[in-house]
Amino acid sequence: MKLSRARLALLIGGAGLLLLVAVIVSPMLLISMPSFLSDGGTSSDCNDSKQVEEVSDSGSSDIPPKYLELYKEYGKKIGVQWNILAAVGKRETDHGRSNLPGVKSGTNYAGAAGPMQFLVSTWGGKARVPMSSKFTGYASDGDGDGVGDIYNPADAILGAARMLKHNGAPENVRQALFVYNRAWWYVDQVVEIAKKYAKSGDVKVPPQASDECDEPLVEAAPNDIVAKILEFALAQRGKPYLWGGTGPDAFDCSGVIYAAYREAGLTIPRTTFLQWPFGMKVLDGQEQPGDLVFFNAGPGTAPDRPGHVGLVVSKGKMLEARCRLCGPIKVTSYQARDNRVGFTRPLLNPDVLEQLKKLQNSSL
């Protein structure tokens, strides 16, 4: 894709004007103003709401109404198939109706507990974990009482959704289920139950995971620079995650973004920790393709020191290299993530603006 001289000139001119305004007004006012990256042209294809799986008659009759509500609520919130969540609940404890040891109190022979049969160690070290405490695990507060209770259906189902998401769902749901219970016969059983619970008789992959939903993204980019960044980033889909990777065969979360900007002739910091303060902060809802979205995730991170980053490719969607067990580089939704910290725009960094000017001069 060749860089249009006219469009690059417009890009640089608008960027220079914004940089001048930045000296006069506060950064908070600046990020609420229109930028040289217009938000026109982002793709509205493949809306998530168009492919919400309906429950089958057998699912409605078998799943308790309260459980069905929770499976749907947290499946949507976290971004996993609700019928997979329901199938796990059925296979593990018949949606909490089982009277076997460990379902309503104590643990079973393997140390698992609750309606979704979490290992207590995986949950957070104990059955009831205060959310205000420091812990490692999937303990979650689904009912808002401040405690992650392994026996509480709302807490347990939310925790299960988070664990499945972390391990590859919704795109690689079989891998996620295998991590949940390391037996392929278990995976087969859960998938079969999930198919019976869906009116379609299938386990559908959400639209953001489908390649055909990504094709319009480059064409919809607001300018040639962003188009180059997106074109390279999207071409890395399917490659594996590698900590510290900058390509060409594998990348980590910040590495694929660093490489995409480099492909467009721009240099930004290599790591997530340095990328976060580099770009101009962007208000939630004003993000555009080419911006970065950050998350409080990973070791040594905090709300003011995010450890995971994705590249915004359209409103609500990002390209990310998440983790070794999370499947390959792919386009996912960032709206369902509850640990999102914020957005930045590297293209408004003064160093990048200077690089853009040099690109313009070299193309003349």
Side-chain angles (χ1 to χ4, degrees):
M1 181 181 298
K2 291 187 176 180
L3 186 65
S4 164
R5 294 185 182 181
R7 297 182 75 182
L8 184 55
L10 181 61
L11 177 76
I12 299 299
L17 177 61
L18 274 180
L19 189 59
L20 176 63
V21 174
V23 177
I24 302 172
V25 300
S26 73
M28 185 58 70
L29 288 175
L30 180 60
I31 61 176
S32 66
M33 297 172 58
S35 93
F36 66 95
L37 297 179
S38 68
D39 63 357
T42 55
S43 174
S44 60
D45 296 338
C46 306
N47 190 307
D48 289 4
S49 63
K50 295 178 181 178
Q51 296 196 21
V52 175
E53 184 62 78
E54 296 183 32
V55 62
S56 66
D57 291 341
S58 61
S60 296
S61 62
D62 185 51
I63 306 171
K66 180 59 178 177
Y67 272 74
L68 179 58
E69 180 182 334
L70 292 171
Y71 293 137
K72 287 186 172 182
E73 177 183 354
Y74 293 125
K76 179 179 180 181
K77 178 179 180 180
I78 302 302
V80 302
Q81 297 93 331
W82 73 260
N83 52 324
I84 286 290
L85 272 177
V88 171
K90 173 68 175 180
R91 177 60 183 77
E92 296 290 354
T93 67
D94 192 21
H95 310 299
R97 291 177 292 213
S98 171
N99 292 316
L100 291 173
V103 178
K104 299 178 176 65
S105 63
T107 62
N108 67 6
Y109 70 94
M116 302 302 281
Q117 289 292 278
F118 270 95
L119 293 174
V120 174
S121 59
T122 304
W123 183 251
K126 52 186 176 181
R128 293 176 176 85
V129 180
M131 292 292 98
S132 58
S133 65
K134 291 184 178 181
F135 64 92
T136 300
Y138 293 97
S140 303
D141 181 16
D143 62 357
D145 66 355
V147 176
D149 186 345
I150 203 169
Y151 303 106
N152 182 291
D155 295 356
I157 292 170
L158 175 56
R162 291 177 58 225
M163 182 175 180
L164 290 170
K165 179 74 173 181
H166 178 79
N167 290 314
E171 293 84 359
N172 196 344
V173 72
R174 288 183 63 84
Q175 172 185 284
L177 289 169
F178 182 79
V179 176
Y180 201 96
N181 188 332
R182 294 182 178 277
W184 288 113
W185 57 262
Y186 173 88
V187 174
D188 292 337
Q189 288 182 5
V190 169
V191 169
E192 283 306 307
I193 295 170
K195 289 179 178 179
K196 292 177 182 177
Y197 280 163
K199 191 171 184 179
S200 67
D202 199 3
V203 176
K204 291 184 177 180
V205 176
Q208 66 265 21
S210 177
D211 286 349
E212 58 264 26
C213 293
D214 297 332
E215 293 306 321
L217 296 177
V218 174
E219 289 79 1
N223 57 62
D224 290 346
I225 289 290
V226 174
K228 278 193 170 186
I229 293 169
L230 297 188
E231 185 176 36
F232 178 88
L234 291 170
Q236 311 315 308
R237 285 172 298 173
K239 293 183 179 180
Y241 174 93
L242 176 66
W243 187 83
T246 56
D249 300 321
F251 299 84
D252 65 9
C253 63
S254 57
V256 68
I257 295 170
Y258 170 79
Y261 269 76
R262 183 178 58 193
E263 180 69 15
L266 304 173
T267 299
I268 65 171
R270 157 68 187 89
T271 67
T272 306
F273 291 138
L274 294 178
Q275 288 176 0
W276 168 243
F278 181 79
M280 178 171 286
K281 300 298 186 293
V282 177
L283 294 177
D284 193 347
Q286 296 185 6
E287 69 275 11
Q288 299 169 358
D291 290 348
L292 308 187
V293 53
F294 292 84
F295 303 87
N296 179 18
T301 68
D304 61 347
R305 184 178 161 82
H308 181 58
V309 62
L311 174 70
V312 176
V313 295
S314 70
K315 286 292 179 68
K317 295 170 71 174
M318 65 178 174
L319 180 129
E320 68 169 339
R322 191 169 185 184
C323 72
R324 186 176 59 83
L325 295 176
C326 301
I329 296 171
K330 56 197 169 187
V331 172
T332 62
S333 170
Y334 58 75
Q335 292 178 321
R337 304 281 182 88
D338 55 7
N339 59 349
R340 192 169 76 232
V341 171
F343 301 90
T344 70
R345 188 163 299 156
L347 290 172
L348 284 181
N349 179 278
D351 289 344
V352 173
L353 294 175
E354 286 299 319
Q355 295 174 44
L356 289 168
K357 290 179 182 178
K358 291 179 180 178
L359 285 177
Q360 181 191 30
N361 292 335
S362 66
S363 66
L364 294 178

